[in-house]
Amino acid sequence: MKILQLRNILLGCVLGGFLSLLATPLSYASDEAVYKEAKSLIKKGLASDVGFEIVESLTTEIGPRLAGSEAEARARSWGEGKFRELGFSNIRTEPFLVKHWERKFEQAQIISPYPQNLVITALGGSISTPPDGVTGEVVSFPTLQDLKDAPVKGLEGKIVFVDEYMTRTQGGSGYGIAVRKRSGAANEAGKRGAIAALIRSVGTDHHRFAHTGQMTYEDDVTKVPVAALSAPDADQLQRALLKGTVEVNVVLDVISQGEAISGNVIAEIPGETDEIVLIGGHLDSWDLGTGAIDDGAGIGITVGAAKLILDLNKTPRRTIRIVMFGSEEVGLIGAKAYAKKYRDRLDKHIVGAESDFGAGRIWKFDTNFAQEKLFLAESMHKVLEPLGIGRGDNNASGGPDIGPLRELGVPAVTLKQNGWDYFDYHHTADDTLDKIDKSDIAQNVAAYAAFVWMAANLNGHFRKD
Ligand SMILES: [Zn+2]
């Protein structure tokens, strides 16, 4: 080999090395540097009100935002505007259609023997009663299972009352059991000839607020109107029934026809690769309260966390995508639309996490990673631990709107919040901003910012190789 050739090769190597060094992005720094930055984000998050301010803005400037409503459309404009104001990129709304349903009027009364009003609310999806309502004798069942065990037919002309209680737990596991009566009561009542169904609210409070929520009629059952009683009104009806026959009149007037426009509002912090870390909450709420804990909080927490990252002014390795899902409450319609639209790119989604369980402090870091990648969960957890967050299990749901993605193989994380009092307010007129504690939501923002920074920059994936 000639000296000149050798010199050229050496020069090429040095130059190439130098050039590749120049091209090495900042975020490809060591994992140690990533953890260090995550820790600094925790400090910033705990000192910031950004999460609370976003929920305040949404719940004050928009208020209730029922799926498919004009208010939800205003919330989408608010979402785009907020993303713009905070400095995010690639802001857009991806529309889809939902069934139109709207509450107009609801009323219930004991007619005899003790005439008085009862506090109720129609369940989402319920049909109307005739204008004068339906009047009938109430037949009570302690649980949905008791109603299911009742003979088919035999409740003709009656109003079915499912008086099942919900258990209060920190993790919300009581909900999964209690919520079955929301669709089950009307469907089982319809199969047995009843004219309406009432349920004890799916909730853990003893305030005089009824809890709404979506119900779905099974195919081929006679549709009967269905409403929830507040807990004290369910107690009242129960006491009256212990004294003898009780007749109740229920009037529900709802609009339920055709389709309406809904949509997902999306923004990004572009990364150096086309891989995506997806976080978000749902933008729609029930119509009774202002949707502060469900799910204004999730919007505030995830957008606030992303804002802290944006303010670092450092390009992450992966793109951070924030999604304000539309129409979650009426059947995860936005989540399904997202999964469908991005089905060919889901392998690029390295993890998904939704905040949709109020604004209580995060106490557990649950993952849904490949077994061989659990070491990454362990080291991420070490960073989150000083926030009072324990290492949870590897069965994370990722939140309702992540469900359709998780089912298609996207790894998920749940930063599990304390939901001890969540179901006191959930889906009621009492879901308002005063239920959110500023320091609690700041802890959430801090945890999300740290988690998202780590997920967006660490070496390695959470899937099976
Ligand atoms: Zn929710």
Side-chain angles (χ1 to χ4, degrees), residues 307-321:
K307 172 62 177 164
L308 294 180
I309 290 173
L310 193 62
D311 287 348
L312 292 176
N313 246 323
K314 293 178 181 173
T315 304
R317 175 197 294 236
R318 306 178 175 110
T319 292
I320 296 165
R321 179 176 289 174

Side-chain angles (χ1 to χ4, degrees), residues 29-38 453:
S30 70
D31 284 357
E32 278 317 306
V34 175
Y35 294 130
K36 197 171 163 221
E37 193 76 81
W453 183 256

Side-chain angles (χ1 to χ4, degrees), residues 282 294-295 328-329 356 422:
H282 66 85
D294 187 13
D295 182 29
E328 185 271 349
E329 295 290 3
D356 183 22
Y422 182 64

Side-chain angles (χ1 to χ4, degrees), residues 408-424:
L408 294 167
V410 176
V413 157
T414 298
L415 290 160
K416 189 82 186 178
Q417 294 159 295
N418 180 358
W420 187 249
D421 64 356
Y422 182 64
F423 292 103
D424 290 351

Side-chain angles (χ1 to χ4, degrees), residues 362-397 412-416 451 462:
I362 295 166
W363 61 284
K364 197 155 76 89
F365 177 60
D366 288 344
T367 51
N368 205 323
F369 294 175
Q371 285 294 326
E372 66 201 81
K373 299 301 175 65
L374 283 178
F375 72 94
L376 282 169
E378 303 306 330
S379 48
M380 288 164 99
H381 170 245
K382 281 203 184 79
V383 174
L384 299 172
E385 201 167 20
L387 286 168
I389 298 172
R391 174 70 180 114
D393 57 41
N394 197 40
N395 298 309
S397 76
V413 157
T414 298
L415 290 160
K416 189 82 186 178
F451 152 65
F462 310 125

Side-chain angles (χ1 to χ4, degrees), residues 281-282 284-286 293-296 328-329 354-358 400-401 422 426-427 431:
H282 66 85
D284 66 310
S285 77
W286 279 104
I293 61 164
D294 187 13
D295 182 29
E328 185 271 349
E329 295 290 3
E354 181 183 35
S355 171
D356 183 22
F357 198 51
D401 288 310
Y422 182 64
H426 180 251
H427 298 183
D431 175 2

